[in-house]
C-alpha cells in the first residue's frame, strides 16, 4: 500500500491543530452558522440527527451520520462533479484547557485526491482557527 491508503477505508487524510480555546467554545463555533460555513461551505445547514442532509452553495452534498455534542460530527461529503462519497469526521478533544481539533476524511479515490484534500482541509483548519481567534476576548 502507498502513503495514506488503508485496507479498511481506502485513501484517507487527517489534519489537526491544538487551539488555545476551551472545548465547549470550539464546539460552539464549529456548529454555529459561521463555523459551519468555515468548514463545510457557504449555504450549508447542518442538522443534528442521523440522516439529515445538507447542500452547500458550491454543490457539495452529504448526509449526517452522527452528531455527538462536544465530541464529533461524522458525515458524507461529495463535491459537485465527484462520482463518489467520502466520509468526513470533525472531532474535538480536551487538551488541558486547550482543544485538539481534527478533520479526518476517508474513502478518497486515489493518492492524487488525497493530496488535494490534504491541502483543502489544511486551508479549512486555517479558516476555522482564524474564526475562533476573531471571537476570542482580549486576554
Amino acid at each position: 500500500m502507498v502513503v495514506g491508503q488503508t485496507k479498511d477505508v481506502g485513501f484517507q487524510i487527517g489534519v489537526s491543530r491544538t487551539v488555545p480555546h476551551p472545548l465547549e467554545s470550539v464546539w460552539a463555533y464549529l456548529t454555529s452558522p459561521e463555523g459551519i460555513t468555515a468548514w463545510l461551505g457557504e449555504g450549508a445547514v447542518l442538522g443534528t440527527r442521523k440522516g439529515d442532509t445538507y447542500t452547500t452553495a458550491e454543490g457539495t452534498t452529504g448526509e449526517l451520520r452522527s452528531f455527538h455534542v462536544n465530541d464529533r460530527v461524522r458525515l458524507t461529503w461529495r463535491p459537485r462533479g465527484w462520482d463518489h462519497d467520502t466520509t468526513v469526521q470533525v472531532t474535538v478533544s480536551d487538551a488541558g484547557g486547550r482543544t485538539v481539533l481534527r478533520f479526518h476524511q476517508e474513502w478518497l479515490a486515489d493518492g492524487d485526491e488525497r493530496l488535494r484534500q490534504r491541502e483543502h482541509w489544511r486551508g479549512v483548519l486555517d479558516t476555522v482557527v482564524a474564526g475562533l481567534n476573531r471571537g476570542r476576548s482580549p486576554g
Side-chain angles (χ1 to χ4, degrees):
M1 282 190 250
V2 297
V3 173
Q5 185 177 23
T6 67
K7 188 174 95 176
D8 297 328
V9 295
F11 284 89
Q12 62 180 345
I13 186 61
V15 297
S16 66
R17 193 168 305 161
T18 302
V19 296
H21 305 283
L23 184 142
E24 292 79 9
S25 297
V26 174
W27 182 262
Y29 177 76
L30 286 172
T31 57
S32 72
E34 179 186 350
I36 291 166
T37 296
W39 70 270
L40 199 50
E42 190 73 40
V45 176
L46 186 63
T48 59
R49 293 187 328 231
K50 183 176 181 174
D52 286 348
T53 60
Y54 69 90
T55 302
T56 70
E58 292 182 345
T60 299
T61 61
E63 179 179 301
L64 190 65
R65 296 290 173 87
S66 64
F67 185 96
H68 301 281
V69 175
N70 291 329
D71 183 39
R72 71 189 61 235
V73 174
R74 188 171 177 85
L75 45 78
T76 62
W77 191 82
R78 182 193 288 211
R80 177 182 293 151
W82 282 26
D83 64 356
H84 61 284
D85 286 343
T86 62
T87 302
V88 171
Q89 182 166 272
V90 183
T91 61
V92 293
S93 55
D94 182 62
R98 301 184 314 157
T99 302
V100 178
L101 172 60
R102 292 183 180 90
F103 291 89
H104 184 260
Q105 187 174 20
E106 303 170 339
W107 300 110
L108 297 164
D110 54 36
D112 289 340
E113 188 171 273
R114 179 184 180 273
L115 291 174
R116 287 190 305 274
Q117 290 310 112
R118 179 174 60 188
E119 292 311 307
H120 170 79
W121 292 112
R122 283 179 175 168
V124 164
L125 194 52
D126 289 343
T127 300
V128 168
V129 169
L132 284 164
N133 289 338
R134 275 193 306 278
R136 185 177 192 186
S137 56

